[in-house]
Amino acid sequence: MKNLLIVLSGPSGVGKGTIVNELLKRGNYALSVSCTTRPPREGETDGKSYFFISKEEFLKNIREGGFLEYSVHFENYYGTPKKFVENRLEESDVILEIEVDGALSVKKAIPEAVLIMILPPSEQELRKRLEGRGTESEEKIAGRIERMRYEISKKDEYDYVVVNDDLEAAVCRIQKIIESCKEN
Ligand code: 5GP
């Protein structure tokens, strides 16, 4: 059976990270590690959270065709290393956790990739979650809400949409989607 490339996207604060961690605990999936030019946040490890590289290195990688996709998000570059994903796919299903523009590029390059968008129950709920973090300025939150609207506007181009109103239910739903895709 061929291994699947599963692409998860969704607005910031929707709980993608928690969902991915649950999936990794429950199934034999490999998580792709992206390259980024943004500086590491506290607790992030190079090679695990991301490969943290300079803009020069990133641009060189683009020129050399090293990315399956890449995009610029809030002024930083993010890209999926092509070789890394190809190698992981030999062994198991692979999860990419990337934003919508990158996800749609992956779909163009690899039509059999399964695109899943995770959405909050409502915009209001997401705003509440972002404000609850207490780490974001009003301006930043407004930027994220605007970005959320853009991401939602692309949802029809995704294969599946999962609403994260309950973590357990959302994880189970994604597992079922993956299982059914593997059967077909
Ligand atoms: P953060 O800086 O919060 O870790 O990630 C910001 C956004 O970049 C998130 O939506 C995340 O899904 C996305 N992202 C992470 N890695 C990649 C990647 O390799 N390619 C693309 N297109 N987006 C990515």
Side-chain angles (χ1 to χ4, degrees), residues 55-102:
K55 191 169 168 190
E56 290 67 36
E57 260 182 282
F58 200 101
L59 296 176
K60 183 167 173 275
N61 254 322
I62 295 175
R63 285 196 300 275
E64 292 174 351
F67 292 122
L68 178 56
E69 62 71 38
Y70 71 91
S71 71
V72 183
H73 187 72
F74 289 109
E75 295 174 7
N76 291 303
Y77 284 83
Y78 294 84
T80 305
K82 199 192 270 179
K83 265 267 150 300
F84 189 91
V85 169
E86 284 170 358
N87 290 342
R88 293 285 188 288
L89 267 176
E90 307 254 315
E91 310 288 326
S92 66
D93 299 328
V94 174
I95 299 177
L96 304 186
E97 196 255 274
I98 63 178
E99 53 68 65
V100 283
D101 297 329

